[in-house]
């Protein structure tokens, strides 16, 4: 292994829940490449999306700060430009930086200011289809690329690595590759992927009987998308071998958040026949929404074929990647450096800004889901421990939740009003308050605008499109 700092290849899909991976016990979905990567590295079983929604997750990954600090409280906002970022910090320490695929944090053309420290950005247009999509490469574009989006994006990612090896052979790089599937429309995957038989798809009991047929058909296509991504992951890993940099590269695979796929009766935004409180598919405290896969392969460091039950959140990715690369962390990060866990070391002690982080994770939804979708999922905060999921909504707009996942792993029996569970509710409420206070969360007492959104100086990503709604 080289003595230089390691490369980073950080790959994440969109809306892939924890259970949609063979390495995580799913006996239906076919993900042999990622299962093999897990055998060569580590599976982190308790990785969660702190804010299980597209842009807020991506802003946390970019900045290492929660939405009330980075400005992205919902999907249509852009990050602040006066705080450090992960690619910017890596670039300051000699890294080449790239992001390919879904960006969801700004509006093209992407000038240097709007790339947040990314040298090469190939951002896909945000249409509904996944074939023959337009891309903006920095300030150039849109340019249409034929083919399935993840295949195109893997090609662009490989070309970036090849260019970097030619132009800067002595410098490390950090590549972030963001695939859009298995986000709906689920049925958009290549013909080369063998279709799944809906009748062979096992449904969890938290899918209502009335939606079972929908769920089987959607899960069959959802799994096909996951298999298609696995094929692309194989191409990416093969490129690392061909370029002779596999042993010098940290490879991570995860997702921005999960997908209910009809669990608990949730559908898609386009399902206008469903009540609006059941059309979100994500952004809830449920397991299906917040729990995501995470596999890391770090040759010579990660013990092969291991699993970790350490609690991790998206908020921990920035300090952990910087720690793994030996790059000093900028001030203001709100997560923990867990790179030692990836090396097989014990979980570090809780820092003051993350109380109880070794035994819980902090989850949230800061706004109403989308600019004008009132009441879809509401504004909530939650704490997840090894046994319990506890959630509470702003201004009691919904009833609190308490699920005992030891007895009720599918989170179907809300114990929040049970007299027997009252001590647990009190304990979890205390945990929630410790997280709020230590992170400076304005959830309960922050200033709010006319629409009830917390005021943190947020700005629209596309002010021409959304300005009429106001920012809060």
């Amino acid at each position: 292994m080289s003595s230089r700092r390691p490369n980073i290849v950080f790959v994440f899909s969109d809306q892939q829940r924890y259970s949609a991976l063979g390495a995580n016990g799913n006996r239906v979905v076919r993900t042999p490449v990622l299962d093999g990567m897990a055998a060569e590295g580590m599976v982190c079983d308790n990785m969660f999306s702190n804010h299980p929604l597209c842009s807020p997750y991506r802003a946390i990954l970019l900045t290492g700060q929660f939405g009330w600090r980075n400005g992205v409280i919902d999907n249509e906002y852009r990050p602040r430009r006066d705080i450090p970022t992960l690619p910017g910090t890596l670039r300051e320490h000699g890294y080449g930086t790239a992001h390919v695929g879904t960006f969801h944090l700004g509006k093209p053309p992407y000038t240097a200011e709007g790339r947040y420290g990314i040298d090469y950005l190939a951002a896909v247009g945000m249409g509904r289809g996944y074939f023959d999509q337009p891309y903006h490469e920095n300030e150039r574009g849109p340019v249409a690329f034929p083919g399935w989006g993840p295949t195109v994006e893997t090609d662009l990612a490989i070309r970036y690595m090849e260019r970097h090896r030619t132009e800067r052979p002595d410098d490390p790089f950090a590549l972030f590759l963001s695939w859009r599937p298995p986000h709906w429309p689920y049925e958009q995957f290549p013909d080369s992927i063998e279709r799944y038989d809906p009748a062979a798809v096992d449904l969890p009991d938290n899918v209502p009987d009335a939606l079972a047929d929908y769920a089987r058909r959607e899960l069959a296509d959802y799994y096909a998308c996951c298999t298609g991504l696995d094929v692309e992951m194989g191409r990416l890993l093969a490129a690392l071998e061909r370029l002779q940099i596999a042993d010098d590269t940290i490879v991570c695979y995860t997702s921005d958040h999960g997908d209910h796929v009809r669990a608990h009766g949730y559908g898609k935004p386009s399902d206008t026949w469903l009540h609006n409180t059941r059309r979100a598919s994500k952004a809830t405290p449920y397991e299906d929404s917040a729990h995501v896969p995470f596999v890391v392969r770090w040759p010579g460091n990660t013990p092969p074929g291991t699993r970790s039950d350490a609690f991790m959140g998206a908020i921990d990715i920035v300090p952990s990647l910087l720690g793994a690369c030996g790059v000093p962390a900028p001030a203001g990060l709100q997560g923990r450096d867990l790179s030692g866990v990836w090396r097989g070391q014990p979980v570090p002690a809780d820092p003051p800004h993350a109380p109880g982080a070794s035994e819980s994770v902090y989850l949230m939804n800061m706004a109403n889901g989308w600019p004008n979708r009132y009441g879809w999922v509401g504004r909530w905060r939650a704490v997840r421990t090894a046994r319990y999921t506890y959630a509470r909504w702003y201004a009691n707009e919904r009833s609190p939740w308490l699920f005992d996942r030891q007895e009720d792993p599918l989170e179907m029996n809300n114990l929040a009003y049970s007299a027997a569970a009252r001590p647990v509710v009190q304990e979890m409420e205390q945990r929630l308050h410790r997280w709020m206070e230590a992170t400076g969360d304005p959830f309960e007492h922050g200033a709010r605008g006319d629409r009830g959104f917390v005021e943190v100086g947020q700005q629209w990503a596309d002010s021409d499109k959304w300005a009429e709604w106001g920012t809060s």
Side-chain angles (χ1 to χ4, degrees):
M1 176 175 289
S2 170
S3 60
R4 74 174 191 175
R5 285 172 168 157
N7 304 309
I8 297 170
V9 173
F10 190 95
V11 185
F12 57 115
S13 58
D14 193 328
Q15 221 154 290
Q16 185 174 1
R17 58 190 186 185
Y18 170 85
S19 61
L21 193 66
N24 290 343
N26 191 316
R27 297 182 180 181
V28 176
V29 69
R30 298 183 293 272
T31 54
V33 174
L34 286 165
D35 298 347
M37 182 176 147
E40 296 172 349
M42 175 182 287
V43 175
C44 298
D45 284 308
N46 279 324
M47 172 61 82
F48 293 85
S49 178
N50 298 98
H51 191 156
L53 189 61
C54 301
S55 293
Y57 169 92
R58 293 163 195 277
I60 290 172
L61 173 63
L62 183 75
T63 67
Q65 299 185 31
F66 290 115
W68 57 85
R69 295 262 294 267
N70 65 44
V72 181
I73 64 167
D74 209 335
N75 260 350
E76 285 72 22
Y77 299 94
R78 67 163 177 82
R80 290 171 52 188
R81 292 175 175 168
D82 60 346
I83 57 176
T85 65
L86 174 57
T89 301
L90 289 168
R91 189 172 66 173
E92 289 173 359
H93 288 82
Y95 275 76
T97 58
H99 183 107
V100 176
T102 304
F103 190 51
H104 219 317
L105 290 175
K107 176 186 177 183
Y110 296 101
T111 63
E113 185 183 33
R115 297 200 302 270
Y116 298 94
I118 299 168
D119 294 322
Y120 171 68
L121 172 64
V124 66
M126 295 303 292
R128 281 187 56 82
Y130 297 148
F131 287 90
D132 307 329
Q133 296 173 284
Y135 290 79
H136 290 264
E137 294 181 285
N138 291 359
E139 298 179 48
R140 172 178 174 262
V143 177
F145 285 79
W148 193 46
T151 302
V152 171
E153 291 150 14
T154 303
D155 287 342
L156 293 173
I158 292 172
R159 289 174 198 166
Y160 168 77
M161 294 192 295
E162 292 170 341
R163 285 199 307 272
H164 183 89
R165 287 286 287 164
T166 299
E167 298 170 2
R168 299 176 59 180
D170 297 325
D171 295 334
F173 66 83
L175 166 66
F176 298 85
L177 176 55
S178 177
W179 292 320
R180 184 74 166 154
H183 188 291
W184 29 263
Y186 307 120
E187 67 277 6
Q188 296 229 353
F189 53 87
D191 291 338
S192 59
I193 302 301
E194 181 181 354
R195 290 184 173 270
Y196 287 76
D197 179 3
V201 172
D202 293 330
L203 290 186
D205 289 340
N206 59 9
V207 175
D209 290 342
L211 299 177
D213 287 342
Y214 288 98
R216 286 194 177 90
R217 291 197 299 270
E218 289 174 346
L219 270 174
D221 289 341
Y222 181 85
Y223 287 163
C225 284
C226 293
T227 296
L229 298 184
D230 192 75
V231 171
E232 299 306 321
M233 194 70 192
R235 295 179 57 227
L236 192 67
L237 296 180
L240 292 176
E241 295 287 349
R242 175 172 56 81
L243 295 171
Q244 299 182 340
I245 55 176
D247 287 345
D248 297 322
T249 302
I250 301 169
V251 182
C252 301
Y253 183 84
T254 187
S255 194
D256 60 348
H257 51 76
D259 189 329
H260 289 101
V261 198
R262 307 293 171 173
H264 302 287
Y266 285 92
K268 305 183 294 298
S270 59
D271 294 330
T272 55
W273 47 274
L274 283 173
H275 190 272
N276 60 13
T277 59
R278 286 293 179 268
R279 291 170 55 196
S281 79
K282 54 197 170 189
T284 75
Y286 279 124
E287 158 82 8
D288 312 271
S289 167
H291 196 185
V292 294
F294 193 92
V295 183
V296 56
R297 189 187 75 176
W298 185 5
N301 289 276
T302 302
T306 55
R307 306 188 80 97
S308 171
D309 62 0
F311 276 96
M312 301 181 185
I315 198 68
D316 300 314
I317 293 172
V318 172
S320 298
L321 287 177
L322 293 176
C325 296
V327 172
L333 298 185
Q334 293 187 282
R336 302 171 296 156
D337 177 2
L338 296 175
S339 60
V341 173
W342 300 347
R343 293 185 176 98
Q345 298 171 4
V347 179
D350 296 342
H353 65 270
S358 59
E359 55 188 22
S360 67
V361 67
Y362 191 37
L363 308 174
M364 66 197 67
N365 190 60
M366 292 191 64
N368 284 321
W370 292 269
N372 199 33
R373 294 178 176 175
Y374 295 100
W376 282 41
V377 293
R379 300 155 292 176
W380 53 266
R381 296 295 185 269
V383 176
R384 167 91 175 232
T385 66
R387 182 166 182 177
Y388 296 104
T389 298
Y390 175 72
R392 181 160 58 76
W393 274 256
Y394 178 72
N396 298 315
E397 61 189 4
R398 297 194 186 186
S399 298
W401 289 359
L402 176 68
F403 297 110
D404 182 347
R405 301 194 71 261
Q406 178 176 295
E407 303 297 327
D408 177 26
L410 295 178
E411 299 172 327
M412 298 176 68
N413 183 22
N414 184 6
L415 303 175
Y417 293 108
S418 164
R422 189 170 303 158
V424 178
V425 170
Q426 293 173 345
E427 175 197 344
M428 297 298 287
E429 179 65 23
Q430 290 172 0
R431 287 182 182 272
L432 191 69
H433 268 277
R434 286 198 296 271
W435 274 111
M436 288 181 190
E437 293 166 7
T439 60
D441 188 346
F443 177 63
E444 294 188 309
H445 306 296
R448 292 180 179 268
D450 293 340
R451 297 173 62 242
F453 288 16
V454 67
E455 286 276 14
V456 296
Q458 62 266 33
Q459 296 186 26
W460 293 117
D462 186 346
S463 58
D464 294 336
K465 182 177 182 180
W466 298 112
E468 64 183 281
W469 296 110
T471 55
S472 60

